[in-house]
Amino acid sequence: MTSTDQSQPLPRDDYFHYQNCWYPVLFVQDWQKNPYSFSLYGQPLLIFRDQQGKWGCLLDRCPHRLAKLSTGQMIAGRLECLYHGWQFETDGKCSHIPQLPVNTPIPRNAKVKSYGVVERQGVLWIWLGEEETAKESDIPIIKDLEDPNCVHTDYLIDFPYEQGYLLENLLDPAHVNISHDRSEFGAKRENAQPLAFQILEISARGIRSQWRNSRNPQESWKYLDFIAPNLVHYRFSLPNPHWCAGLALYGISLGQGRSRLLVRRYQNFAVNSRQYRWRWLEHLRQSRILEDDLPLIQSQQQMVEKSRDSLQKLYLPLKSSDALVIELRQWFDRYGDSFPYYQGYTSQRTTAIDLSDPLPLDRYSRHTVHCRTCSAAHENMVKTKQIAILMGILLALLAILSPNQSIYQITALIFAILALAIAIAANYTRTKFERTHEKKAHTKLQ
């Protein structure tokens, strides 16, 4: 077995600042609302696009009276605040104030703070630092995706816990066979075993490592990297040196107690098996898998917050399963000073959690509304249900009015039952886009 994508050395740097980084916030194919609002580390932001296709990212706050700009509308390529009609360009400058007297210049400070925004590899990236310091070369691109033969599937979901717990979960291959037992991953609890880890490099820019199962000492190493502050990258060993396959997991902080995960699974072989899958079906599968861990991580965070002790005191880690989890937390100990809040292994910085706008736990709010494909599928299921019910009623009436036991009555009844079945199926599928999966044990322990 050969590795298709050797780990690249991390850029050397003795200091890390969370603002001087690119943050992936949305897959371009899921762009459906202009403007689109979101947050990073509790900072309310929005993205919009002008008539020339230029992206803009602004603080979600009108400088006039602090109304939310994300509730505004697009007028001739400019973002208009719905409160008083002030209009803004992609660079944040105000270009129109309806209430300003004729020939009166717009005040210089009538502008909104803007942030760098770039579209790269089908992802919208935001630079939180000063816009003039942004370098596109610092975007942590996945080199394999530059291969024109490479195909990928993308998925996004929000979680009601902090970024640190999300990253910890993503860097924990040991939990997969237990937590996702009998899932579509092919995970099985009987395959749970000690893992071998090798830490290849640690710097301010992240952690490079490799891991493998211990039962088969001949198994090839799999590469697993954390590229600070949000990318967890799995790369797999394959028999053909020209093949590549991997999993890019971007875990970003929306705010205290809120995080977002962008998932990109890619490969450059057997591409037809992925190209022709319905994306919304793939997303329902992904949601079930990722929601297996949701209540576990949520309760984990609550216990840590309640105890107020360090993770060093609370955790009982194993080298054969938790090596990367501890390395991640220790990375925050070394380089987390700039973060507005973080949880290291021995240190932490916390702020009061804002409970005025809690993240809803339903799947519709956490995934469907952010996904163009699933939003459309959900809407189609609602319409299908309504049409099927209407057709069922009309066919039932036709059956009632038809002569008893006539071919017309029998045919109408058959199609009425079929319409009812379609309505039930559409309603069942609709709920899959709305309700969070509840994990059930697959194996009863004796």
Side-chain angles (χ1 to χ4, degrees):
M1 303 284 280
T2 59
S3 173
T4 62
D5 185 10
Q6 297 292 323
S7 277
Q8 299 298 316
L10 296 167
R12 302 303 300 179
D13 191 358
D14 293 330
Y15 179 72
F16 180 87
H17 198 287
Y18 84 101
Q19 289 183 320
N20 296 328
C21 299
W22 289 98
Y23 289 86
V25 296
L26 189 71
F27 293 112
V28 176
Q29 65 177 321
D30 289 323
W31 173 263
Q32 55 185 327
K33 185 179 180 182
N34 198 15
Y36 175 79
S37 65
F38 63 101
S39 61
L40 284 174
Y41 294 101
Q43 185 84 301
L45 304 172
L46 64 86
I47 298 175
F48 70 102
R49 203 172 192 177
D50 67 14
Q51 288 180 322
Q52 287 71 45
K54 182 180 179 181
W55 297 103
C57 179
L58 306 178
L59 185 66
D60 192 4
R61 186 173 65 202
C62 181
H64 177 212
R65 299 259 291 277
L66 308 185
K68 293 186 69 172
L69 288 172
S70 57
T71 60
Q73 61 185 347
M74 299 302 299
I75 301 292
R78 296 187 294 267
L79 176 61
E80 181 183 80
C81 177
L82 283 186
Y83 201 6
H84 294 89
W86 289 30
Q87 295 179 4
F88 300 90
E89 307 290 342
T90 55
D91 61 1
K93 293 181 180 179
C94 183
S95 56
H96 178 64
I97 299 178
Q99 299 82 9
L100 206 61
V102 178
N103 298 325
T104 301
I106 295 175
R108 289 185 178 181
N109 58 350
K111 63 181 300 183
V112 185
K113 181 173 176 54
S114 63
Y115 298 85
V117 54
V118 170
E119 178 183 338
R120 190 75 183 274
Q121 291 192 328
V123 178
L124 287 176
W125 298 83
I126 305 301
W127 179 266
L128 273 187
E130 295 301 321
E131 196 168 356
E132 58 271 15
T133 65
K135 298 178 181 178
E136 290 190 34
S137 58
D138 289 338
I139 295 176
I141 64 170
I142 306 298
K143 291 184 178 180
D144 287 339
L145 293 174
E146 302 296 315
D147 181 352
N149 297 317
C150 195
V151 298
H152 56 83
T153 57
D154 300 334
Y155 170 83
L156 177 153
I157 191 168
D158 293 343
F159 289 113
Y161 40 79
E162 287 190 23
Q163 178 196 28
Y165 294 97
L166 174 59
L167 293 174
E168 182 180 298
N169 175 253
L170 301 177
L171 284 166
D172 178 22
H175 85 282
V176 173
N177 283 312
I178 299 295
S179 184
H180 304 296
D181 179 33
R182 300 305 190 274
S183 71
E184 290 86 343
F185 264 153
K188 297 179 181 179
R189 63 182 303 109
E190 55 266 30
N191 290 336
Q193 59 188 286
L195 303 180
F197 292 95
Q198 288 187 359
I199 307 301
L200 304 177
E201 183 182 352
I202 299 175
S203 77
R205 303 307 301 175
I207 304 167
R208 291 175 54 235
S209 72
Q210 56 187 17
W211 68 283
R212 64 184 177 188
N213 295 314
S214 63
R215 287 180 182 170
N216 180 10
Q218 304 303 317
E219 180 179 304
S220 297
W221 291 98
K222 296 178 274 287
Y223 291 95
L224 175 52
D225 297 339
F226 164 60
I227 310 300
N230 49 56
L231 172 59
V232 173
H233 189 197
Y234 283 80
R235 279 148 306 137
F236 308 114
S237 298
L238 300 166
N240 188 325
H242 300 292
W243 289 355
C244 70
L247 185 62
L249 304 165
Y250 304 94
I252 65 173
S253 172
L254 300 179
Q256 185 84 325
R258 303 160 67 105
S259 59
R260 170 170 293 180
L261 174 62
L262 289 84
V263 179
R264 171 164 282 176
R265 186 186 299 272
Y266 66 86
Q267 63 189 58
N268 69 348
F269 60 95
V271 295
N272 290 337
S273 64
R274 289 202 171 274
Q275 279 183 320
Y276 301 109
R277 292 180 183 177
W278 283 345
R279 188 175 181 234
W280 62 268
L281 276 177
E282 183 77 7
H283 284 190
L284 292 182
R285 183 185 73 89
Q286 288 274 6
S287 295
R288 286 196 302 272
I289 294 171
L290 291 170
E291 288 166 356
D292 278 343
D293 294 336
L294 191 155
L296 302 173
I297 302 175
Q298 196 174 20
S299 63
Q300 174 193 11
Q301 177 178 255
Q302 291 169 351
M303 292 296 290
V304 172
E305 290 177 351
K306 185 177 180 180
S307 71
R308 298 185 179 276
D309 281 333
S310 70
L311 297 184
Q312 185 179 35
K313 293 181 179 179
L314 295 172
Y315 283 7
L316 184 61
L318 301 175
K319 289 184 178 180
S320 55
S321 65
D322 306 307
L324 278 177
V325 169
I326 303 307
E327 289 292 348
L328 171 71
R329 293 301 187 176
Q330 290 177 340
W331 183 91
F332 279 104
D333 286 334
R334 299 187 192 102
Y335 304 110
D337 285 347
S338 70
F339 287 92
Y341 42 83
Y342 73 93
Q343 178 77 55
Y345 196 51
T346 60
S347 62
Q348 63 178 323
R349 175 180 293 129
T350 60
T351 59
I353 296 180
D354 182 9
L355 299 178
S356 62
D357 185 25
L359 182 70
L361 295 181
D362 61 284
R363 185 181 294 173
Y364 183 84
S365 301
R366 295 185 301 105
H367 167 69
T368 304
V369 295
H370 302 291
C371 174
R372 179 193 291 267
T373 305
C374 291
S375 293
H378 176 266
E379 184 178 350
N380 288 337
M381 293 303 161
V382 172
K383 291 180 179 178
T384 299
K385 174 190 172 183
Q386 294 171 342
I387 293 172
I389 290 175
L390 178 60
M391 292 299 297
I393 292 173
L394 294 176
L395 288 166
L397 289 174
L398 178 61
I400 293 172
L401 297 175
S402 299
N404 287 338
Q405 298 184 353
S406 67
I407 186 65
Y408 299 106
Q409 185 181 58
I410 294 173
T411 301
L413 283 174
I414 291 174
F415 279 98
I417 294 172
L418 179 60
L420 176 61
I422 292 174
I424 292 173
N427 186 62
Y428 174 79
T429 306
R430 173 190 63 82
T431 63
K432 294 297 182 182
F433 293 106
E434 299 174 353
R435 300 177 185 174
T436 295
H437 165 65
E438 294 184 7
K439 181 178 180 179
K440 296 180 181 178
H442 295 282
T443 304
K444 291 185 178 180
L445 299 179
Q446 301 298 323

